[in-house]
């Protein structure tokens, strides 16, 4: 089976500049031995008086990140000062974090490796480590550590999420004697849903005595099936 090479493609035509080492495709000399994909979520802690631990509330998702090490070597051209500077192979990757003259921003890229990896991103950092030199100090070997953050448009994200809701968030103004539990009973039919209301209204310090006249958010909930 033929070896499939990893490839970096420049997605912004205005960023293509061969004079700066940025062709449409930037070749990877050797495939990475490993790479790391990371995905996280931002979670807020909402303190409720009297509880042993804060309520956790999802705030938003975070972009996926891709990290990989790339190895470059030009020792086959010679170990003395006639050897080719390895930076002729790595300069294009270093440019991926620089503001480009025509686009005024670092370029968007796509990293592909056969059918297993296709990652559209903006490069966050490129660390260059040079490990072998000619007697005159010309670097012949380098390892590049690249960190990339996934780039997706708003339209792409909304299409992927396909969010659906059978209900809509509403609001209500508190009256004398209201508690979050009594409001939950009236609105949702179950006083235990007071926690949902508390999570949506972190400014309400005391769920047993919300200030009269406060407009609170009533988050949408899935209706429980009858038993």
């Amino acid at each position: 089976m033929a070896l499939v090479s990893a490839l970096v493609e420049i997605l912004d035509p205005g960023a293509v500049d061969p004079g700066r080492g940025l062709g449409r495709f930037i070749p990877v000399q050797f495939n990475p031995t490993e790479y790391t994909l990371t995905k996280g979520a931002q979670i807020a802690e909402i303190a409720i008086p009297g509880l042993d631990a804060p309520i956790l509330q999802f705030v938003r998702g975070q972009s996926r990140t891709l990290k990989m090490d790339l190895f470059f070597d030009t020792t086959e051209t010679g170990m003395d000062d006639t050897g080719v500077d390895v930076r002729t192979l790595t300069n294009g990757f270093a440019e991926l974090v620089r503001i480009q003259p025509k686009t005024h921003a670092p370029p968007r890229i796509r990293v592909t490796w056969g059918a297993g990896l296709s990652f559209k991103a903006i490069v966050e950092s490129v660390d260059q480590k040079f490990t072998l030199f000619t007697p005159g100090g010309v670097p012949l070997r380098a390892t590049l550590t690249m960190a990339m953050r996934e780039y997706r448009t708003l339209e792409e994200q909304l299409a992927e999420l396909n969010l659906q809701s059978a209900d809509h968030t509403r609001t209500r103004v508190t009256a004398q004697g209201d508690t979050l539990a009594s409001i939950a009973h009236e609105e949702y039919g179950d006083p235990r849903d007071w926690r949902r209301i508390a999570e949506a209204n972190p400014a309400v310090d005391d769920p047993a005595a919300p200030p009269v006249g406060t407009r609170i958010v009533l988050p949408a909930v899935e209706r429980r099936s009858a038993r």
Side-chain angles (χ1 to χ4, degrees), residues 182-203:
S182 68
I183 294 173
H185 176 70
E186 294 176 16
E187 297 290 341
Y188 305 132
D190 191 335
R192 293 174 298 178
D193 279 330
W194 73 268
R195 295 181 185 276
R196 296 179 183 270
I197 302 175
E199 291 173 9
N201 297 272

Side-chain angles (χ1 to χ4, degrees), residues 3 11 18 31 33 55 83 85 108 110 114 120-121 125 134 142 160-161 172-173 181 185 195 208:
L3 178 66
L11 299 179
N31 287 335
T33 57
I55 300 297
D85 191 326
R108 294 172 299 166
R110 179 183 287 112
K120 186 165 66 172
S125 64
T134 68
E160 179 181 319
L161 288 173
R172 163 174 172 159
V173 177
H185 176 70
R195 295 181 185 276

Side-chain angles (χ1 to χ4, degrees), residues 45-124:
E45 292 189 348
I46 301 175
I48 304 296
L51 296 185
D52 183 59
I55 300 297
L56 299 183
Q57 180 170 343
F58 172 77
V59 178
R60 62 179 177 85
Q62 297 177 335
S63 300
R64 287 196 306 168
T65 59
L66 171 66
K67 293 182 179 180
M68 62 171 55
D69 291 339
L70 300 176
F71 180 70
F72 298 86
D73 186 294
T74 58
T75 55
E76 64 179 12
T77 64
M79 297 289 290
D80 56 19
D81 288 330
T82 63
V84 174
D85 191 326
V86 74
R87 288 173 294 187
T88 59
L89 302 179
T90 64
N91 280 344
F93 294 91
E95 285 289 327
L96 296 177
V97 291
R98 294 172 59 90
I99 297 175
Q100 300 305 311
K102 295 181 180 178
T103 61
H104 302 168
R108 294 172 299 166
I109 66 169
R110 179 183 287 112
V111 180
T112 57
W113 189 4
L117 177 65
S118 179
F119 193 82
K120 186 165 66 172
I122 294 176
V123 179
E124 286 191 306

Side-chain angles (χ1 to χ4, degrees), residues 1 10 15 19 32-33 85 97 99 113 115 137 142 146 149 167 171 213 218:
M1 183 177 179
I10 303 294
T33 57
D85 191 326
V97 291
I99 297 175
W113 189 4
M146 296 181 60
R149 189 171 294 273
D167 199 355
T171 62
L218 300 172

Side-chain angles (χ1 to χ4, degrees), residues 14-37:
V16 174
D17 187 350
R20 300 168 70 93
L22 293 175
R24 180 185 172 190
F25 297 98
I26 306 178
V28 173
Q29 188 179 18
F30 302 103
N31 287 335
T33 57
E34 62 182 18
Y35 61 82
T36 302
L37 282 169

